[in-house]
Amino acid sequence: MTEKELIKSAKAAMKMSYSPYSNCTVGAALLCDNEKVYCGCNIENASFSPTICAERTAFFKAVSEGERKFKMIAVCGECNGEGDRPFYPCGVCRQVMAEFCGPDFIVLVATADDGYEKFTLSDLLPHTFSIEKGSN
Ligand code: THU
């Protein structure tokens, strides 16, 4: 799976977005170490706070299927049908990435010109908060 192919999967996932409140459709595609890809979209709610971002949808789908090791995620989005700006992952999604991924985890963010920007998780979330894990 190449970076460009992962971006393509994220773009396809945008089509599933449920976003009647913001009119922003976001898609994510998460590549696991075992080469499986889990896609996600943003899913909004009339009560707003239950809304979930595309990145977390992809992560939670993957983790709930037993995946624990991840290589890379691609993210893309647009508001009101205009993909004129990159959709950088929000702070909550960065923290969720940090729960399961190390500082070298790759985050690809699609740009308007059909390209993408490439970051590591440590670029996006330096000085990560963490707590020693127990046995559960
Ligand atoms: N959104 C994402 O899906 N990912 C992000 O990283 C930022 C925001 C969604 C949530 C909401 O449905 C819409 O974009 C506007 O905030």
Side-chain angles (χ1 to χ4, degrees), residues 17-19 22-27 41-45 51-56 75-76 79 85 87-91 93:
S17 168
Y18 176 75
S19 45
S22 72
N23 280 316
C24 297
T25 59
V26 189
C41 62
N42 58 328
I43 304 169
E44 298 186 344
N45 189 281
T51 290
I52 188 162
C53 295
E55 298 92 319
R56 273 176 291 145
V75 187
C76 56
C79 293
R85 65 186 175 90
F87 256 72
Y88 301 110
C90 79
C93 289

Side-chain angles (χ1 to χ4, degrees), residues 26-62:
V26 189
L30 176 62
L31 178 64
C32 304
D33 268 15
N34 62 14
E35 291 296 313
K36 278 194 204 165
V37 174
Y38 290 82
C39 290
C41 62
N42 58 328
I43 304 169
E44 298 186 344
N45 189 281
S47 179
F48 288 12
S49 62
T51 290
I52 188 162
C53 295
E55 298 92 319
R56 273 176 291 145
T57 303
F59 263 94
F60 294 160
K61 280 173 69 180

Side-chain angles (χ1 to χ4, degrees), residues 85-101:
R85 65 186 175 90
F87 256 72
Y88 301 110
C90 79
V92 174
C93 289
R94 294 177 197 203
Q95 183 66 30
V96 167
M97 290 176 197
E99 184 66 31
F100 297 103
C101 308

Side-chain angles (χ1 to χ4, degrees), residues 21 40 46 68 92 105 118-119 125 130 133:
Y21 304 104
R68 291 291 186 276
V92 174
F105 177 68
K118 184 173 178 175
F119 303 96
L125 191 68
S130 66
K133 287 175 182 159

